Amino acid sequence: MMKILITFFLILFISIELNAQEFKFEKETINYGKIPQGSEGLRVFEFTNIGEAPLIIKKTKSTCGCTLPKKPNSPIMPGEKGQISVSYDTKRMGGFSKAIIIFSNAKQERKMLKIKGVIK
């Protein structure tokens, strides 16, 4: 009986892992390059739900107030594309490197994206 229970839970665990939501980003880092002060700071990270269930982005968080990420409001269905837009305050002079953390129901619950560049 114990062997049957262990086997059942092992199969259940493996099937949950195989069917977990997963997403693949086209780029995980966006390099703004050298841009003039006050120029457009909006950039977009595109991803595809490569899992077998709806992907839900629960929240996004940046490492400072100068970076504002925006997540999709509805679930991304399997095979569909989604976007996370990021606005950086380009009034600040100098180099920057910021992280955006994505919290979701994916196999990897936290995903980090990066933006970088130089405001001249």
Side-chain angles (χ1 to χ4, degrees), residues 29-43:
T29 299
I30 292 179
N31 187 349
Y32 283 59
K34 294 180 181 177
I35 60 172
Q37 184 179 25
S39 58
E40 177 62 53
L42 180 66
R43 300 293 186 272

Side-chain angles (χ1 to χ4, degrees), residues 20-35:
Q21 299 82 346
E22 193 171 357
F23 51 148
K24 179 173 176 44
F25 281 86
E26 289 181 15
K27 293 182 192 178
E28 294 186 15
T29 299
I30 292 179
N31 187 349
Y32 283 59
K34 294 180 181 177
I35 60 172

Side-chain angles (χ1 to χ4, degrees), residues 32-118:
Y32 283 59
K34 294 180 181 177
I35 60 172
Q37 184 179 25
S39 58
E40 177 62 53
L42 180 66
R43 300 293 186 272
V44 177
F45 288 95
E46 293 192 359
F47 65 89
T48 303
N49 178 353
I50 59 173
E52 297 178 7
L55 176 68
I56 300 168
I57 308 286
K58 297 174 185 174
K59 70 177 182 173
T60 55
K61 182 179 171 184
S62 67
T63 53
C64 80
C66 59
T67 307
L68 297 171
K70 185 176 178 192
K71 68 176 189 65
N73 291 326
S74 57
I76 308 301
M77 302 310 284
E80 288 185 356
K81 292 186 178 285
Q83 296 181 337
I84 305 235
S85 61
V86 178
S87 291
Y88 180 75
D89 181 2
T90 60
K91 294 177 187 158
R92 301 166 182 248
M93 296 289 287
F96 64 92
S97 179
K98 305 297 177 187
I100 296 95
I101 303 164
I102 312 301
F103 299 88
S104 71
N105 67 337
K107 192 184 305 186
Q108 181 182 352
E109 293 178 6
R110 292 182 184 189
K111 177 76 173 166
M112 186 171 12
L113 305 173
K114 295 180 184 175
I115 59 170
K116 63 182 180 177
V118 178

